[in-house]
Amino acid sequence: MKYVLVTGGVVSGLGKGVTASSIGVLLKACGLRVTSIKIDPYLNTDAGTMSPFEHGEVFVLDDGGEVDLDLGNYERFLDIKLTRDNNITTGKIYQASLSVKTALIYYSSYPYQFVIDRERRGDYLGKTVQVVPHITDAIQDWIERVAKTAVDGLDGPPDVCVIELGGTIGDIESMPFIEALGQFSYRVGPGNFCLIHVSLVPVLNVVGEQPLDENVKAKLSQFCHVPGENIITLYDVPNIWHIPLLLRDQKAHEAIFRVLNLSGFVENSLIFGLFLSRLAREPVLDEWTGRAELCDKLHEPVGSNYYVSIAMVGKYTGLSDSYLSVLKALLHASVACRRKLVVDWVPASDLEDATKEENLTTRFFLLQNPENYKAAWTLLKGADGVLVPGGFGDRGVQGKILAAKYARENKVPYLGICLGMQTAVLEFARSVLGFQDANSTEFDPETKSPFVIFMPELERMACVNRDLKLIWEAPCVLVNPDKVALLESAGMSFTGKDESGQRMEIIELPDHPFFIGAQFHPEFKSRPGSPSALFVGLIAAATGQLDAFLEKASIMHDVSKSETKKCTHNPSMKSNISKSTKGITNGHTNGFPEQNMYGIDNGLHKGHTNGPLNGIHKGLTNGSLNGIHAGRVTVSVNGVHKEHLNGSLNGIHSEYCNGYGNGSINGVYQKEYANGSLNGVYSDHIHTNGSLNGIYSNGNGNGFHY
């Protein structure tokens, strides 16, 4: 096992997270399997209770772990799935942060973890418990255990673990981790540990970050005892996707290979030549380069038709990192739609009448008037689309309701996430149904018109960060199921529900060009080469491309005509985003090509082509790893087959799928034609193919995949 440690100096916020992610991309492009660990020295157990203004976005992992936003960068750059154990904090080391059941399993397997709990049980047999060696040993054991866990869906341990140490060298709270990592470098031995330090090098009379000249690099080499070829310059670039390319162009991978003795293995070993040639190959970044260059072109001022403006109506607009994953998902979608993204930040509270009255009052007293109300509405009305992200607490809720009202009445594309979906429901209840007092019990526990309610099985304290949860199967606050029939009678469609039919996950307005709300958080699953379908739908609708996208490319998996005729749902209940693909293309989850072009990373392929990893193939094509194949084609790994059914890894198929359902890992299928995916939730009588944590529309020919 090889380890690469990334540290930072001089000041915080230099970009260690992007650097660590980019190093991972470079090593992965060389054929290595890469995992990542982020160390946060703060005493918090995790980032879940930290203010967005304090620490930016809380990124939520597949296992529900609430972690630092840098882990979101790792997942997006490397296209991997991390767990809560990939984020180490001082709080986790000192105190068990897991459930009692899980903690007991860890205690028996990893005796140095959770130091204080072990001390209370007497596991140290009367010894004095100290930072060295007990805390430092626990840190090293944690790193060594987690580094061996595969995060790319393949068997066996990764080749390299990239570790980022948060904060700045010299911080008091970082000292136990620095000591532990110093010991760890000796523990794993020479040739298995590489240190990369990210530092600010101020150069006078220079505006912005520029490449270092040779004289400066020579001085750094001399005084820091670092070979000149190991000094890499990272400077301002048009977009962060260029960072791995900067590292490649300066041969950073060769420097890392020298330190880790990888290049020496290739020269001296013939027995393992096949394996080592994989380690030593030059980085293949053609697809990554194409995406970075495409993003650059979209920034060129070639005309207003190449721009798309999205009004982001939120509470934490003063710090863009509070919505980092939403911003990245918008970027991924805008690049897929070949448009430059412009985000207009609209503070939700500035849209409210109270702000207008406050401004009138300040004008009366001749005080400075920022005219926030007027500015907010100008931005909202000038946007091509509206996005209302998650949040909690009642501040700004009325402004979000007004934003939903404006988008609905003026046919402006709208996407509401979590609280953004709930405020859309409240606005509809007030404006269309006439319930002026419609509210959420989160904001008014005594409301007489509770259209949004707390779920009784969950504690309120467990719901403080409800809007940050990816585990949408049991969110704390949901649309009141007793009000669903009333809302549907007025024209609102609930196209996504859980298996019980009681939890509303997706809403749509069929008479609107694009008006969708999602209880879950699709932004956490968006990737540069595989953008979230909901975000692509928003951008496509905002740029007038939605119909073309739905006609020429499949946002969802393809459904053959022979399957469609067997479905018992009402075809008139189609989702706006689920029009027939007419068998034109073969889709990969969330891949979107324009016209007859092949899509970017993991895009769509036409005709009898072979698909990419996890591709979905039509006709007589041959599939790839974990592919799901239509027709009478070769099946995938460990497929389970029924009649002409093609399964996927460990697929489980329902009784009434008649050979047309496609299964996936741990898929559970409900009724008739539903096809499942990992922990998916399926509605009645649907005929869809699923994806990871997908939610599928009721009566919808093609379900959403996230």
Side-chain angles (χ1 to χ4, degrees):
M1 188 73 189
K2 307 292 184 180
Y3 298 89
V4 177
L5 172 64
V6 179
T7 62
V10 183
V11 294
S12 183
L14 287 176
K16 296 189 302 298
V18 174
T19 301
S21 301
S22 299
I23 290 169
V25 169
L26 186 64
L27 296 178
K28 184 177 179 180
C30 292
L32 293 163
R33 295 176 59 198
V34 181
T35 185
S36 297
I37 293 176
K38 173 65 187 299
I39 297 175
D40 288 305
Y42 46 66
L43 287 172
N44 303 64
T45 298
D46 58 34
T49 59
M50 301 179 75
S51 166
F53 286 123
E54 174 91 11
H55 209 255
E57 172 190 76
V58 176
F59 190 81
V60 184
L61 301 169
D62 276 9
D63 65 355
E66 297 170 333
V67 296
D68 184 83
L69 55 82
D70 282 324
L71 277 82
N73 278 327
Y74 304 158
E75 286 205 346
R76 285 186 290 268
F77 269 56
L78 297 171
D79 195 16
I80 56 179
K81 297 173 185 176
L82 302 175
T83 69
R84 68 183 71 214
D85 281 354
N86 290 87
N87 187 203
I88 304 175
T89 68
T90 300
K92 285 182 179 179
I93 294 296
Y94 278 81
Q95 185 81 36
S97 62
L98 307 178
S99 65
V100 173
K101 181 179 179 181
T102 306
L104 289 175
I105 296 174
Y106 277 11
Y107 283 137
S108 61
S109 303
Y110 311 105
Y112 288 106
Q113 293 188 21
F114 315 136
V115 175
I116 290 180
D117 291 328
R118 296 201 66 234
E119 184 274 330
R120 289 290 85 193
R121 294 208 319 269
D123 291 355
Y124 294 111
L125 303 177
K127 293 182 179 180
T128 301
V129 180
Q130 298 174 296
V131 172
V132 180
H134 301 102
I135 296 297
T136 53
D137 282 350
I139 294 169
Q140 294 176 70
D141 290 345
W142 190 305
I143 292 173
E144 199 164 39
R145 172 178 60 87
V146 174
K148 296 177 181 177
T149 303
V151 294
D152 55 5
L154 302 178
D155 294 331
D159 300 310
V160 179
C161 178
V162 179
I163 306 168
E164 179 192 349
L165 176 60
T168 304
I169 295 296
D171 293 344
I172 293 177
E173 60 188 8
S174 301
M175 289 182 177
F177 291 97
I178 295 171
E179 173 63 26
L181 290 164
Q183 296 177 16
F184 191 68
S185 66
Y186 287 97
R187 178 172 177 170
V188 299
N192 293 317
F193 190 89
C194 176
L195 171 63
I196 297 177
H197 186 66
V198 181
S199 184
L200 176 68
V201 182
V203 179
L204 299 179
N205 299 324
V206 173
V207 178
E209 296 178 358
Q210 302 292 332
L212 294 177
D213 60 36
E214 293 303 318
N215 290 333
V216 175
K217 293 179 69 172
K219 290 181 179 179
L220 288 173
S221 176
Q222 179 181 1
F223 290 104
C224 298
H225 305 156
V226 176
E229 61 269 24
N230 288 5
I231 298 176
I232 309 298
T233 302
L234 300 180
Y235 47 86
D236 288 341
V237 290
N239 64 78
I240 61 173
W241 293 339
H242 279 283
I243 300 299
L245 306 181
L246 283 180
L247 293 170
R248 177 202 61 188
D249 294 343
Q250 297 176 70
K251 306 296 183 182
H253 56 290
E254 294 182 2
I256 295 172
F257 283 177
R258 285 193 297 269
V259 175
L260 296 179
N261 286 340
L262 292 176
S263 56
F265 286 162
V266 175
E267 295 172 1
N268 298 328
S269 176
L270 296 177
I271 298 176
F272 300 103
L274 179 61
F275 172 73
L276 293 171
S277 64
R278 174 175 67 87
L279 298 182
R281 81 180 189 199
E282 284 297 305
V284 179
L285 288 167
D286 296 343
E287 210 164 20
W288 191 277
T289 302
R291 188 181 304 115
E293 292 176 349
L294 173 60
C295 190
D296 290 345
K297 293 178 181 178
L298 298 179
H299 283 73
E300 296 175 1
V302 291
S304 59
N305 289 336
Y306 289 86
Y307 288 74
V308 58
S309 61
I310 300 297
M312 182 89 77
V313 183
K315 295 174 60 176
Y316 314 112
T317 55
L319 180 63
S320 61
D321 276 358
S322 299
Y323 302 108
L324 185 61
S325 290
V326 175
L327 287 175
K328 297 302 181 183
L330 284 172
L331 175 63
H332 302 160
S334 63
V335 171
C337 292
R338 307 301 194 266
R339 292 295 185 270
K340 175 185 176 180
L341 175 66
V342 177
V343 177
D344 295 322
W345 296 96
V346 181
S349 57
D350 286 354
L351 296 171
E352 300 174 359
D353 290 338
T355 302
K356 179 181 179 181
E357 296 170 359
E358 179 180 333
N359 285 340
L360 291 174
T361 302
T362 55
R363 181 179 288 110
F364 177 79
F365 287 104
L366 300 179
L367 299 177
Q368 182 181 5
N369 176 21
E371 297 187 345
N372 293 346
Y373 179 84
K374 180 180 179 181
W377 277 102
T378 299
L379 289 174
L380 181 65
K381 292 180 178 180
D384 300 315
V386 177
L387 194 155
V388 179
F392 57 92
D394 58 0
R395 183 174 66 85
V397 167
Q398 182 59 30
K400 294 185 177 185
I401 291 175
L402 291 171
K405 178 181 176 69
Y406 171 80
R408 180 182 60 81
E409 293 180 343
N410 293 276
K411 305 296 183 181
V412 177
Y414 176 91
L415 175 60
I417 299 174
C418 198
L419 182 58
M421 168 180 159
Q422 297 166 17
T423 52
V425 170
L426 294 180
E427 187 280 321
F428 193 85
R430 294 179 184 183
S431 302
V432 178
L433 292 175
F435 288 85
Q436 296 301 320
D437 59 345
N439 213 331
S440 168
T441 56
E442 178 182 4
F443 312 133
D444 182 6
E446 305 301 326
T447 179
K448 296 181 179 179
S449 300
F451 277 78
V452 178
I453 60 173
F454 272 109
M455 297 305 295
E457 67 268 25
L458 296 175
E459 296 285 343
R460 181 180 178 89
M461 286 306 295
C463 301
V464 171
N465 288 329
R466 169 254 318 130
D467 63 297
L468 302 173
K469 298 287 186 183
L470 183 62
I471 307 177
W472 41 263
E473 292 94 330
C476 299
V477 184
L478 287 171
V479 176
N480 189 344
D482 294 337
K483 303 292 186 181
V484 169
L486 186 60
L487 291 163
E488 287 180 329
S489 68
M492 177 171 284
S493 295
F494 292 89
T495 52
K497 303 177 183 179
D498 76 337
E499 66 275 14
S500 70
Q502 295 298 303
R503 297 184 176 125
M504 306 300 113
E505 302 292 351
I506 301 173
I507 65 164
E508 293 187 62
L509 295 181
D511 60 347
H512 193 285
F514 187 92
F515 193 101
I516 294 181
Q519 180 64 52
F520 53 96
H521 286 260
E523 68 271 22
F524 292 137
K525 306 304 296 182
S526 185
R527 300 289 183 265
S530 182
S532 165
L534 280 185
F535 284 86
V536 172
L538 175 66
I539 298 296
T543 56
Q545 302 181 74
L546 183 58
D547 288 339
F549 264 83
L550 294 177
E551 290 296 328
K552 296 183 180 181
S554 175
I555 294 178
M556 292 64 63
H557 298 320
D558 291 66
V559 178
S560 67
K561 294 180 180 179
S562 62
E563 294 173 356
T564 303
K565 66 182 180 182
K566 292 179 179 291
C567 189
T568 59
H569 75 262
N570 183 356
S572 64
M573 292 298 291
K574 271 191 175 183
S575 162
N576 290 330
I577 199 171
S578 308
K579 298 181 181 178
S580 172
T581 61
K582 297 184 178 180
I584 293 177
T585 60
N586 296 312
H588 178 279
T589 305
N590 299 332
F592 300 92
E594 287 192 357
Q595 299 179 352
N596 295 325
M597 296 174 57
Y598 285 98
I600 57 176
D601 185 22
N602 296 334
L604 304 177
H605 307 273
K606 292 185 59 180
H608 299 283
T609 61
N610 292 311
L613 182 66
N614 297 328
I616 306 296
H617 311 279
K618 286 188 60 181
L620 301 176
T621 61
N622 293 313
S624 61
L625 183 63
N626 297 331
I628 299 179
H629 312 277
R632 302 188 182 187
V633 300
T634 304
V635 301
S636 59
V637 181
N638 295 332
V640 180
H641 314 284
K642 181 178 179 182
E643 295 180 8
H644 298 303
L645 173 102
N646 296 306
S648 62
L649 185 63
N650 298 329
I652 302 176
H653 309 283
S654 62
E655 180 179 357
Y656 299 105
C657 64
N658 294 325
Y660 292 99
N662 295 310
S664 63
I665 301 174
N666 298 329
V668 180
Y669 307 92
Q670 177 197 346
K671 296 184 181 181
E672 304 202 331
Y673 300 101
N675 298 308
S677 65
L678 182 60
N679 299 327
V681 179
Y682 314 93
S683 59
D684 295 347
H685 304 294
I686 62 173
H687 198 69
T688 60
N689 294 312
S691 64
L692 181 63
N693 293 333
I695 296 182
Y696 309 93
S697 302
N698 186 21
N700 188 349
N702 294 308
F704 293 113
H705 304 274
Y706 309 112

